[in-house]
Amino acid sequence: QSVLTQPPSASGTPGQRVTISCSGSSSNIGSNTVNWYQQLPGTAPKLLIYSNKQRPSGVPDRFSGSKSGTSASLAISGLQSDDEADYHCAAWDDSLNGVLFGGGTKLTVL
Amino acid sequence: EVQLVESGGGLVQPGGSLRLSCAASEFTFSNSWMHWVRQAPGKGLVWVSRINTDGSSTSYADSVKGRFTISRDNAKNTLNLQMNSLRGEDTAVYYCARAPGQWLVYGMDVWGQGTTVTVSS
């Protein structure tokens, strides 16, 4: 497996709650922590969630992460227009001895 | 301000070489694992390489193994990526990123702005 599996797109209306999934295997998500990155158009990625569910300083608590087995999820509540971005999951892979990223999910706020 | 600034990108012919650099400031560079991540136009993030704190341990994605070499100069707070035998599929924005922990436990918490590499004749 060369990438973690994410849906290519997701959408929601302002105020709504949306979730984005990330599926992996025993060598990555199943045995290591998951990180989530937000990438606004034309900018570098920004760390959103680390260690499955921890938020760096400055990240609103509207963003939350969870992990179960070989899958993880990012939830965004109280959706806002400036949440429109690409979201990427990532995890260390023991077989690769490196990092695997998901293909990215483009979130549209309708 | 904690910052990473990449440089060295540009246009190169297939088979050519390029050396990217990443200058770190306002944090203890020698305590940080460092990574290179790339993003082809319109595509997702792809991990390229990582190096440990003192440069004694490195790893690479299969797609660049044997062609790219990651290195660091802790005295100059600089991370490097020597790219040889470049191919069209190496065309991407290349980001350097800091990882406070070995197994990405704390994620990649600081990213540079990226430098663009275009491989084309």
Side-chain angles (χ1 to χ4, degrees), chain A residues 1-2 9 11 14 16 18 28 40 65 69 72 77 80 97-98 108:
Chain A
Q1 183 178 6
S2 58
S9 63
S11 63
Q16 200 172 22
V18 297
N28 41 71
L40 298 171
S77 60
Q80 300 178 0
N97 192 28
T108 301

Side-chain angles (χ1 to χ4, degrees), chain B residues 20-66:
Chain B
L20 306 183
S21 293
C22 170
S25 57
E26 301 301 325
F27 68 93
T28 307
F29 179 72
S30 58
N31 287 350
S32 299
W33 290 62
M34 298 296 296
H35 296 255
W36 286 100
V37 176
R38 69 185 182 184
Q39 187 171 35
K43 302 296 185 181
L45 301 173
V46 176
W47 175 78
V48 173
S49 181
R50 66 90 180 152
I51 188 167
N52 70 343
T53 55
D54 65 4
S56 62
S57 175
T58 61
S59 62
Y60 300 90
D62 286 345
S63 59
V64 307
K65 201 170 294 183

Side-chain angles (χ1 to χ4, degrees), chain B residues 56-79:
Chain B
S56 62
S57 175
T58 61
S59 62
Y60 300 90
D62 286 345
S63 59
V64 307
K65 201 170 294 183
R67 300 187 299 124
F68 290 12
T69 302
I70 190 172
S71 63
R72 65 191 297 159
D73 185 337
N74 285 343
K76 296 182 178 179
N77 292 339
T78 300
L79 175 72

